[in-house]
Amino acid sequence: MHTSALVMFSGGQDSTTCLALALSKYDRVETLGFDYGQRHSVELEVRHTVRQQLAAQFPQWAPKLGEDHVLQLDVLQQIGGSSLTEDVAFAMQADGLPNTFVPGRNLLFLTVAGALAYRRGLQVIITGVCETDFSGYPDCRDDTMKAMQLALNLGLDRRLCIETPLMWIDKAQTWQMAQDLGGQALVDLVVRDTHTCYAGTREQLHDWGYGCGSCPACELRAKGWQRWRAMR
C-alpha cells in the first residue's frame, strides 16, 4: 500500500535504474544525493541532467518526480583511507576489499535517508546496492540492509521499508531492467547521461557509457553490458 519513495540517487547506472523503477511504481518520488568529498564528484553534476531527461522523455513519470535533495557528508572524507576520497591509485587491500571501500558509507547514507524520509513523510527508501555483481563491500549485503531497516524502524518509531531492487541481479540484468522499464530510450539515457566511473572521467564515450574503462566501477559496467548484448 506504499505510495511514496525516497531514492538514494547518485546519478549512476544503478541508482538511475532504481529511480525509473520507483517512478513506475509510486505516486510521489523524491531523490537524495550525497556530497562526501568523492573524487568522482562529477556524479553530482550529472544527477540534474538525468532527472531532467527522465521527466522530458517519459512524461508519464514527470508528475511523480518530486524534490531533489543533496546533503553534505564530508565526514567520510575527513576519515579518509579510501581511493574514492583521496588521490591514491585503485588497489586491493590486505583484507581482500578494494581500497574504493568507504567504511560505513551506506550505513551513514541510510541513517540520513531515514531521517529525511521521516521529515518528508516518505514510506520507502530505495537503494541500488547489490551483492550479486559487486566489489565485495560488506555494507551492500542483504543482511546489512535488513539490519538497517530494523534499526531505522526502531530508532524512528516509523515503519520505513528499504527496497533493494538490484540485490540479487547482475549488471547484465540491470541493463535488461532498464530496457524493460523504458525501452531503448532509457538504455540510451543510462549510457549517455549517467556516471559510474570512480575516476570521474567523462572524456571518452564507450558503448556502455562514459568512463576511464579500467576502474572497478567501469569494469563491472562494461562486463555487464557485454553480457547483456550477448544475451539479446
Side-chain angles (χ1 to χ4, degrees):
M1 300 298 293
H2 296 135
T3 60
S4 62
L6 177 65
V7 178
M8 294 172 63
F9 178 56
S10 69
Q13 174 189 2
D14 293 345
S15 65
T16 298
T17 305
C18 287
L19 178 54
L21 180 64
L23 290 167
S24 72
K25 290 177 60 176
Y26 299 110
D27 297 331
R28 174 184 164 214
V29 178
E30 299 188 12
T31 52
L32 171 61
F34 296 102
D35 182 353
Y36 59 95
Q38 60 268 50
R39 288 170 59 189
H40 54 301
S41 59
V42 66
E43 68 179 8
L44 296 173
E45 301 170 15
V46 304
R47 295 173 73 260
H48 302 291
T49 300
V50 172
R51 280 175 47 95
Q52 290 170 355
Q53 289 301 315
L54 282 172
Q57 295 187 44
F58 302 92
Q60 72 274 25
W61 293 344
K64 302 179 178 184
L65 186 58
E67 190 169 339
D68 181 38
H69 312 268
V70 178
L71 300 178
Q72 303 286 328
L73 287 179
D74 59 355
V75 63
L76 293 173
Q77 185 182 40
Q78 294 173 42
I79 293 171
S82 168
S83 59
L84 291 195
T85 58
E86 297 182 358
D87 190 13
V88 296
F90 302 115
M92 295 300 294
Q93 303 175 140
D95 59 5
L97 289 174
N99 65 356
T100 53
F101 178 54
V102 182
R105 180 178 60 168
N106 283 333
L107 307 182
L108 184 56
F109 284 2
L110 284 167
T111 300
V112 174
L116 181 63
Y118 182 98
R119 288 299 187 199
R120 300 290 297 173
L122 301 167
Q123 301 158 313
V124 179
I125 299 171
I126 300 178
T127 174
V129 296
C130 166
E131 78 169 85
T132 302
D133 198 0
F134 75 137
S135 298
Y137 301 161
D139 61 353
C140 289
R141 295 180 301 197
D142 187 57
D143 284 348
T144 303
M145 296 300 111
K146 286 182 168 62
M148 285 302 298
Q149 178 174 285
L150 178 59
L152 290 174
N153 286 342
L154 290 173
L156 296 172
D157 195 22
R158 183 71 58 86
R159 285 293 180 182
L160 293 173
C161 176
I162 296 179
E163 285 190 3
T164 55
L166 311 184
M167 180 60 72
W168 304 117
I169 67 175
D170 61 22
K171 281 292 185 287
Q173 292 168 303
T174 302
W175 284 109
Q176 185 59 49
M177 182 182 290
Q179 176 75 46
D180 294 341
L181 288 167
Q184 191 60 43
L186 184 56
V187 172
D188 291 344
L189 186 155
V190 172
V191 169
R192 181 186 65 249
D193 296 323
T194 69
H195 180 86
T196 304
C197 174
Y198 285 155
T201 298
R202 289 190 68 80
E203 282 76 26
Q204 183 175 359
L205 178 61
H206 307 269
D207 290 343
W208 43 266
Y210 286 98
C212 68
S214 58
C215 74
C218 281
E219 289 180 351
L220 280 174
R221 182 163 168 164
K223 289 176 182 177
W225 172 269
Q226 292 161 6
R227 291 197 305 270
W228 177 60
R229 296 296 293 178
M231 295 187 310
R232 301 183 70 197

